[in-house]
């Protein structure tokens, strides 16, 4: 599904059985101004960088011809700012859904890298005992429940059309993994959910029938932040953003 996207357009779309076709795009926010390299998580005050704003504009251009009738975002600043160009281009207000927020993490506000930061302190190792839950943050299944609820609400708000929901990497990847019936625990470096990407869920009635993925701003994303990139010292602290 790499760089694929749904192609259904038009309003009041339906299949042969008369069920409405609705597309809900889960968009990850753009790059954040984070000079200290912190795992900022749910902390307030983290805004898009200049590059992040360019990413948001690029995706808005990409979606300009789409039948977007609903735009909703996580309450965090970076998500609201990413949603703004899409909403503006379609003449819509931005709704806020707290269920789209970043996953809670015990290491929030700290540097988090291999060989430095929080992982180098033995006192923090107790939080790394269970990668399946995970023990350092919000359980994956809890993320699935709230994200599925947010997706369903956006689907209902845009029946027969398309919606854009701006969220964060880990919740997006977790709910996609659930829908595609993959295990929820994973290597963060292998998430296919780069900055300003679109993970698009196509509904037939109330049922998800396909999932697409695209990266409209891929050329703007720093190479070390692309899916599968090998982390280098000082550049591994953006996972989970």
């Amino acid at each position: 599904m790499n760089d694929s996207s749904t192609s259904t357009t038009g309003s009041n779309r339906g299949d042969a059985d008369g069920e409405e076709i609705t597309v809900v795009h889960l968009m990850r926010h753009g790059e954040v101004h984070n000079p200290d390299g912190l795992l900022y998580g749910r902390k307030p005050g983290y805004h898009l960088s200049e590059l992040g704003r360019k990413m948001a504009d690029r995706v808005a251009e990409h979606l300009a011809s789409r039948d977007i009738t609903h735009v909703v975002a996580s309450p965090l600043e970076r998500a609201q700012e990413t949603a703004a160009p899409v909403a503006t281009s379609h003449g819509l207000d931005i709704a806020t859904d707290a269920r789209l927020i970043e996953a809670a993490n015990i290491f929030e506000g700290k540097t988090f890298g291999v060989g430095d930061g929080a992982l180098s302190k033995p006192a923090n190792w107790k939080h790394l005992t269970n990668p399946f839950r995970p023990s350092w943050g919000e359980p994956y299944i809890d993320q699935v429940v709230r994200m599925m609820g947010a997706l369903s609400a956006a689907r209902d708000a845009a029946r027969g059309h398309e919606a854009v929901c701006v969220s964060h990497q880990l919740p997006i990847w977790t709910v996609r993994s659930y829908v595609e019936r993959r295990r929820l625990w994973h290597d963060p470096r292998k998430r296919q959910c780069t900055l300003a990407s679109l993970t698009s869920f196509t509904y037939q009635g109330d049922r998800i029938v396909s999932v697409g993925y695209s990266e409209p701003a891929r050329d703007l994303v720093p190479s070390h932040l692309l899916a599968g990139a090998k982390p280098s010292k000082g550049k591994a602290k953006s996972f989970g953003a």
Side-chain angles (χ1 to χ4, degrees):
M1 295 183 185
N2 187 34
D3 291 327
S4 64
S5 61
T6 50
S7 58
T8 311
T9 59
S11 60
N12 299 316
R13 298 163 301 188
D15 71 343
D17 297 325
E19 289 188 291
E20 294 166 317
I21 300 298
T22 307
V23 181
V24 179
H25 305 280
L26 267 183
M27 179 181 177
R28 185 184 171 193
H29 62 79
E31 185 189 62
V32 175
H33 180 64
N34 182 23
D36 297 325
L38 299 180
L39 184 70
Y40 36 78
R42 295 180 174 181
K43 293 179 71 66
Y46 283 87
H47 299 266
L48 292 183
S49 65
E50 181 178 353
L51 179 59
R53 291 192 291 272
K54 290 179 181 178
M55 292 176 180
D57 289 339
R58 174 70 64 79
V59 178
E61 293 170 4
H62 175 77
L63 294 173
S65 63
R66 304 296 293 242
D67 185 27
I68 307 295
T69 61
H70 182 64
V71 177
V72 59
S74 153
L76 296 173
E77 293 97 333
R78 59 191 185 271
Q80 294 281 322
E81 291 164 1
T82 299
V86 177
T88 297
S89 69
H90 290 275
L92 300 170
D93 294 327
I94 302 171
T96 299
D97 191 332
R99 291 173 294 188
L100 294 170
I101 201 167
E102 175 63 289
N105 193 307
I106 196 70
F107 297 111
E108 182 179 289
K110 302 176 182 179
T111 56
F112 189 82
V114 178
D116 64 352
L119 291 184
S120 67
K121 298 177 174 60
N124 289 325
W125 297 350
K126 63 186 178 184
H127 300 300
L128 305 176
T129 56
N130 185 356
F132 307 106
R133 186 180 184 267
S135 54
W136 55 83
E138 182 182 8
Y140 292 127
I141 192 61
D142 290 357
Q143 295 177 50
V144 168
V145 170
R146 64 177 172 86
M147 290 295 288
M148 287 298 292
L151 282 171
S152 295
R155 175 206 63 207
D156 291 343
R159 288 272 184 187
H161 305 274
E162 300 185 21
V164 174
C165 305
V166 183
S167 186
H168 308 267
Q169 186 191 59
L170 178 53
I172 294 172
W173 180 248
T174 299
V175 74
R176 177 181 171 183
S177 296
Y178 172 79
V179 170
E180 294 182 330
R181 300 184 179 182
R182 287 193 302 273
R183 66 188 187 199
L184 300 184
W185 60 274
H186 59 278
D187 181 342
R189 296 168 297 182
K190 296 182 179 179
R191 296 172 189 160
Q192 189 185 45
C193 186
T194 196
L195 292 165
S197 61
L198 296 170
T199 301
S200 304
F201 298 80
T202 298
Y203 285 85
Q204 180 178 316
D206 292 344
R207 181 169 57 94
I208 295 173
V209 294
S210 68
V211 181
Y213 177 77
S214 59
E215 298 176 351
R218 182 182 177 86
D219 61 305
L220 298 176
V221 179
S223 60
H224 69 276
L225 295 180
L226 292 170
K230 293 181 180 179
S232 56
K233 189 174 178 62
K235 291 185 176 180
K237 299 163 186 167
S238 293
F239 296 135

